[in-house]
Amino acid sequence: MDCTNPLKPAFTGLALGYTASGAEQVAEWATGAKVFKGFNQTGFNIMADPAFDGELAVMFVCGDDDTLAADIGFQAIDAGSLVIARLLEPYGMLWIHLALARGLGRDFAFVLHRREKETP
């Protein structure tokens, strides 16, 4: 499991981007291991209780496994193969920016609202 974000010093951005991700680098270092990306989109304090007024925080995951996020209480969304970490890491950077630079603090997470499909 890769839960990191490949940050530049002083949290000024990501060191990797569109052609590679930190998760892909981890998979390269751990040749033959199953690697998945997740738990990089909110703070560790949310991990113990990802519910907000009965609504589950979303945790996007990609790679070889998505069950752990659901097992600990997140609304787990399988975003696809490990290459999608290239999207999840900037999403994690957004959380860091909002928490630290914009003053939201660490006590928030993202949610995913869906409209129920109407039956004909």
Side-chain angles (χ1 to χ4, degrees), residues 38-112:
F39 302 103
N40 69 313
Q41 305 141 50
T42 192
F44 74 91
N45 57 314
I46 303 300
M47 302 297 169
D49 183 11
F52 290 78
D53 296 325
E55 188 167 22
L56 298 181
V58 70
M59 184 57 63
F60 295 102
V61 295
C62 64
D64 293 324
D65 191 349
D66 65 352
T67 59
L68 183 59
D71 289 348
I72 60 175
F74 283 94
Q75 179 186 359
I77 303 292
D78 182 350
S81 68
L82 194 60
V83 72
I84 301 303
R86 297 174 191 182
L87 302 176
L88 296 187
E89 290 170 355
Y91 189 59
M93 188 71 228
L94 174 63
W95 186 90
I96 292 166
H97 173 76
L98 293 173
L100 302 178
R102 302 299 300 165
L104 265 68
R106 302 175 40 80
D107 209 19
F108 76 96
F110 299 112
V111 297
L112 180 70

